[in-house]
Amino acid sequence: MKRRMTREEVLRDFGEAKEQRHIYPHFQPQYNHVTGRVIGAEALMRWEHPEFGSQMPGCFVPVLEDEGLIVEADLLVFEEICQFQRDCIDRNVSTIPISFNVSRVDIHEGDFVERLERIRQRYDIPVRLLRAEITETSAIGGLELVSRAMAQLQELGFVVEMDDFGTGYSSLNILKDLPFDIIKLDMRFLEGNLGDRGGTILNAMVQMTKWLETPVIAEGVETVAQADYLKSIGCVYVQGYLYARPMPADEFLNVLATVGLEPTLPSMQLVENMNAKRFWDPDSLETLIFSNYVGAAAILSYEHGKVEILRVNEKYVQELGMNGNETDAIHVDFWDGFDEENKAKYIGTVEKAIATDDEQVCETWRMLSSDCCGKDEACIRSTMRIIGRAGEQYVVYVMIQNVTAEK
Ligand code: C2E
Ligand code: MG
Ligand code: MG
């Protein structure tokens, strides 16, 4: 009879399941939504019970965690992943990194990382082909254990991902204190609501991961609209039903053999001599200079004609005679007040700054409106330079001057 197992049945049958390998992973590929290539996969635990049928982790992982048995199950899944990678290597199939889930209970087990490492060595798998996922909620009750496990894993060369970013109650602290290599954002927590607040929060989270120079993978992506929106805010790595459901090993092998692979994840790189942490730190010297000594300036993100305002200083707001403060200025549509001709001219100048890697200047007219002066046409001189890039996305530094009077 196919049905969900009870707690008692989970505990009764776990021993047999382990021996008979009824517990094993499915694989869910992750894609680059721009190139359509596979960038990795996540292993997800399944229990194929001879009597009750296929069981999802929700039915048995919490029980195994309660009883401390999850450690054995996770090591079993990890070994299966190593076996899979070994087969790929031996059969000359292209390989891609596979992520495994680390339970908070594993972290409390003193020798978990050593046991993983022994298995990895036994199968002789390059460490770059195995990535650890630790959920943010593991840190509830203290960062020390997570921090130690993470350091141990990174020391051995494992990439460590923060799973389910944004779901815990202190995501920002964890992000600040623990040097995760990749961040996984779960779309399901927005409950499909990308309009209004959902979209704003997502955008802010993605921008934050950029400043930390940490690649981000969105999971639970089910629709083209979601993936396109994510792309528009600079998140191109997606995992979800839109591309593929978790699948058995043989199907996944087929994906590897037929779809193009792209095993590295670029993150935002700022130009040499610029330190991202200082650059975005509100208390840094860089910020002090940006805010007080450089005249009217803005930092924009640019991708294929799409411009997003990341940051402006007070003088920028004044120079454009805008209502409100610097934070309000970030929320306006950058192209507000531009006509098609001036927009094209502006985009052309950004493209030139990208192509030449040098400073470029343009003068464009736009309609400015404010409470005090109503609507007025103004000519703005923009001097711009590219200061960072991640894939197709660029960070542009722009100084502006209102030259309407001169004209
Ligand atoms: P997770 O690590 O956040 O895994 C992602 C979950 O989202 C998986 O559920 C996956 O099947 C599901 N998913 C992927 N794409 C979509 C989508 O587009 N829409 C929706 N609605 N769901 C999607 P699954 O396999 O049921 O696993 C649930 C959780 O169980 C995992 O969440 C993880 O916390 C835990 N888990 C899974 N495998 C393991 C494991 O090997 N060890 C441990 N300790 N925990 C595991
Ligand atoms: Mg996971
Ligand atoms: Mg997750």
Side-chain angles (χ1 to χ4, degrees), residues 42 101 133 163-164 184 186 188-189 219:
E42 177 175 5
N101 287 281
E133 281 192 16
D163 202 0
D164 304 335
K184 294 191 76 179
D186 201 319
R188 285 172 299 167
F189 299 107
E219 72 178 323

Side-chain angles (χ1 to χ4, degrees), residues 5-212:
M5 291 165 79
T6 64
R7 183 184 177 87
E8 288 66 36
E9 288 159 351
V10 168
L11 297 177
R12 185 194 65 199
D13 296 343
F14 178 66
E16 184 189 327
K18 230 173 43 173
E19 258 163 49
Q20 307 283 324
R21 301 273 161 148
H22 293 154
I23 291 177
Y24 61 93
H26 273 182
F27 300 91
Q28 186 177 31
Q30 302 159 329
Y31 290 77
N32 179 331
H33 185 53
V34 173
T35 62
R37 297 205 189 101
V38 172
I39 57 148
E42 177 175 5
L44 293 156
M45 195 185 291
R46 297 293 179 259
W47 182 340
E48 190 59 47
H49 193 280
E51 189 182 347
F52 307 123
S54 183
Q55 305 286 314
M56 299 300 277
C59 313
F60 62 90
V61 165
V63 180
L64 297 180
E65 284 186 328
D66 278 353
E67 301 295 327
L69 295 169
I70 192 69
V71 180
E72 299 308 318
D74 279 341
L75 288 170
L76 202 67
V77 164
F78 184 77
E79 184 165 353
E80 292 284 333
I81 301 170
C82 288
Q83 179 67 63
F84 180 87
Q85 296 287 38
R86 174 92 327 256
D87 285 348
C88 286
I89 296 168
D90 292 346
R91 290 152 70 180
N92 258 330
V93 175
S94 315
T95 51
I96 200 84
I98 297 177
S99 306
F100 54 95
N101 287 281
V102 176
S103 160
R104 69 188 152 75
V105 177
D106 300 335
I107 288 169
H108 288 251
E109 198 76 7
D111 62 351
F112 182 72
V113 177
E114 282 92 343
R115 292 176 71 185
L116 282 181
E117 177 61 7
R118 277 203 294 277
I119 296 171
R120 184 191 73 79
Q121 287 182 4
R122 181 144 46 85
Y123 284 84
D124 192 20
I125 308 300
V127 69
R128 67 179 166 78
L129 292 179
L130 302 161
R131 293 177 173 161
E133 281 192 16
I134 301 183
T135 97
E136 193 191 296
T137 46
S138 302
I140 291 177
L143 290 184
E144 295 73 35
L145 283 173
V146 183
S147 175
R148 206 190 60 198
M150 203 172 155
Q152 265 182 308
L153 284 162
Q154 287 176 330
E155 179 81 5
L156 291 166
F158 288 93
V159 160
V160 181
E161 307 178 358
M162 178 195 257
D163 202 0
D164 304 335
F165 171 59
T167 59
Y169 57 88
S170 61
S171 320
L172 296 183
N173 277 325
I174 294 169
L175 206 56
K176 171 168 75 63
D177 293 331
L178 299 178
F180 281 94
D181 301 299
I182 292 177
I183 289 167
K184 294 191 76 179
L185 255 179
D186 201 319
M187 297 295 288
R188 285 172 299 167
F189 299 107
L190 296 172
E191 286 160 351
N193 172 20
L194 281 182
D196 207 25
R197 289 161 67 84
T200 306
I201 292 170
L202 195 64
N203 195 351
M205 299 211 305
V206 172
Q207 294 308 337
M208 221 155 34
T209 62
K210 295 239 170 71
W211 305 336
L212 293 167

Side-chain angles (χ1 to χ4, degrees), residues 142-373:
L143 290 184
E144 295 73 35
L145 283 173
V146 183
S147 175
R148 206 190 60 198
M150 203 172 155
Q152 265 182 308
L153 284 162
Q154 287 176 330
E155 179 81 5
L156 291 166
F158 288 93
V159 160
V160 181
E161 307 178 358
M162 178 195 257
D163 202 0
D164 304 335
F165 171 59
T167 59
Y169 57 88
S170 61
S171 320
L172 296 183
N173 277 325
I174 294 169
L175 206 56
K176 171 168 75 63
D177 293 331
L178 299 178
F180 281 94
D181 301 299
I182 292 177
I183 289 167
K184 294 191 76 179
L185 255 179
D186 201 319
M187 297 295 288
R188 285 172 299 167
F189 299 107
L190 296 172
E191 286 160 351
N193 172 20
L194 281 182
D196 207 25
R197 289 161 67 84
T200 306
I201 292 170
L202 195 64
N203 195 351
M205 299 211 305
V206 172
Q207 294 308 337
M208 221 155 34
T209 62
K210 295 239 170 71
W211 305 336
L212 293 167
E213 299 185 28
T214 311
V216 49
I217 301 174
E219 72 178 323
V221 178
E222 296 184 349
T223 65
V224 177
Q226 284 178 333
D228 284 347
Y229 179 79
L230 284 160
K231 191 177 96 179
S232 81
I233 58 171
C235 172
V236 298
Y237 304 123
V238 299
Q239 172 185 344
Y241 297 166
L242 170 63
Y243 276 99
R245 288 180 176 258
M247 58 185 80
D250 53 343
E251 257 177 67
F252 179 53
L253 205 59
N254 211 16
V255 169
L256 291 181
T258 52
V259 183
L261 307 181
E262 185 179 296
T264 53
L265 299 183
S267 68
M268 182 66 76
Q269 297 291 318
L270 288 180
V271 289
E272 267 180 67
N273 302 330
M274 213 184 299
N275 174 311
K277 291 204 178 65
R278 284 206 312 269
F279 187 66
W280 297 106
D281 176 359
D283 298 322
S284 70
L285 184 62
E286 281 78 355
T287 298
L288 181 77
I289 293 171
F290 177 73
S291 307
N292 298 291
Y293 301 110
V294 295
I299 295 163
L300 311 175
S301 97
Y302 174 86
E303 188 174 4
H304 299 308
K306 225 181 146 300
V307 174
E308 211 81 54
I309 306 173
L310 298 179
R311 191 165 165 186
V312 301
N313 63 14
E314 195 183 337
K315 291 196 191 101
Y316 177 94
V317 178
Q318 287 164 0
E319 196 77 6
L320 292 182
M322 293 168 104
N323 296 319
N325 60 22
E326 296 97 291
T327 322
D328 303 326
I330 293 176
H331 296 296
V332 303
D333 174 4
F334 183 78
W335 299 120
D336 242 7
F338 277 82
D339 63 15
E340 284 307 314
E341 186 188 337
N342 280 284
K343 179 175 169 181
K345 188 172 177 188
Y346 197 95
I347 290 177
T349 312
V350 180
E351 294 283 356
K352 202 164 160 202
I354 293 170
T356 58
D357 204 13
D358 203 357
E359 190 170 287
Q360 299 296 335
V361 187
C362 69
E363 287 174 1
T364 50
W365 288 86
R366 61 181 100 165
M367 290 300 293
L368 297 179
S369 53
S370 63
D371 289 344
C372 70
C373 323

